Amino acid sequence: YCNRGLAKSGLQDYMGAIKDFSKYIELNPFGLNSHFYWLRGLAKYELQDYRGAIDDFSKAIGIEPEFADAYYDRGLAEDNLKDYQGAITDYSKAIEMNITYIGAYYNRGLAKNKLQYYRGAISDFSKVIEIDPKNAEAYFYRGMTKYKIGQKDNGCLDLSKAGELGDTQAYELIKEFCQ
C-alpha cells in the first residue's frame, strides 16, 4: 500500500493515494505512521481538502513533534483557509527546526503581508534573499511591501532587482509606481 500510494501520488491520482495511505495506516496501527499521515495530508491538500489535510498534518506532528515539513504544509493549508495567524505560527515552528527553510520564510512573509504586518514581512523576505540571493519573488514582494509602507525608493530598487532576475511583472509595476 505504501509504494502504491506513492505511485498514485506521482500520477496525481490523489484519491487512490489517500485510499492506499489510509489502508497502510489501518494495517500498521502501532507503527510510527507520521510520514504516512503527512503523505495522506499532501494528497488531501492537492484535492483542496484543506481541513482534512490539516487533520493529517496534525496527526503527523502528534507522532513526530519535530517534523518541520508537516508544520510547513499545515501552514500552507491554513493559509488557504485564510487562517493567516495559524499559518504564521506553523511556518515559525518549521523555521525553528530548520533555520534555512526558505519556503517557510517566504510564505510566512506572504501571510504577514495579508495581515498587514509589513515590517515582519519585509524581514522574512530579506531572510529569503540572504539564503537565496537570486530569489526574484522575494525581491518582488519585499519591494511591494516596502512601497506599501512609504519606502518608495527602496521598494523600486527591489522591484528592479526582481526584474533583473526574471520577474517580468516587476517591470510593469516599476512603470506604474516608480517613475
Side-chain angles (χ1 to χ4, degrees), residues 2-174:
C2 166
N3 289 333
R4 195 167 73 181
L6 290 170
K8 287 179 180 178
S9 280
L11 295 170
Q12 298 180 349
D13 174 10
Y14 300 115
M15 288 300 295
I18 290 167
K19 287 179 186 170
D20 284 340
F21 293 136
S22 295
K23 190 66 173 174
Y24 180 87
I25 292 166
E26 176 190 326
L27 293 173
N28 296 282
F30 303 110
L32 296 178
N33 293 320
S34 63
H35 197 70
F36 297 98
Y37 281 113
W38 174 67
L39 289 169
R40 189 172 72 180
L42 291 175
K44 289 177 180 180
Y45 180 90
E46 290 297 330
L47 293 173
Q48 299 180 356
D49 175 9
Y50 302 122
R51 292 193 195 292
I54 289 169
D55 288 344
D56 278 346
F57 297 142
S58 296
K59 287 175 184 167
I61 291 164
I63 295 167
E64 188 179 338
E66 299 297 310
F67 197 161
D69 287 336
Y71 283 102
Y72 173 74
D73 291 319
R74 188 170 72 178
L76 291 175
E78 290 162 336
D79 205 316
N80 275 284
L81 293 173
K82 298 185 179 359
D83 176 10
Y84 304 123
Q85 195 58 59
I88 289 167
T89 299
D90 279 339
Y91 297 141
S92 296
K93 193 72 175 162
I95 290 166
E96 238 176 74
M97 291 172 228
N98 178 356
I99 60 168
T100 60
Y101 206 139
I102 288 178
Y105 283 109
Y106 177 76
N107 284 292
R108 187 174 72 176
L110 292 176
K112 286 178 179 178
N113 231 337
K114 291 170 187 166
L115 291 175
Q116 300 179 354
Y117 302 161
Y118 297 129
R119 295 200 188 284
I122 289 168
S123 176
D124 283 340
F125 297 135
S126 294
K127 187 66 177 178
V128 172
I129 292 165
E130 177 186 317
I131 297 167
D132 177 11
K134 295 184 189 272
N135 191 308
E137 290 178 341
Y139 278 105
F140 178 86
Y141 283 105
R142 187 175 75 174
M144 289 303 301
T145 306
K146 285 179 176 179
Y147 187 86
K148 284 180 189 176
I149 64 169
Q151 297 179 8
K152 180 181 175 185
D153 291 342
N154 286 333
C156 291
L157 286 173
D158 278 349
L159 288 174
S160 178
K161 184 66 174 179
E164 289 171 29
L165 292 170
D167 189 326
T168 55
Q169 183 185 5
Y171 288 129
E172 296 301 317
L173 291 175
I174 289 170

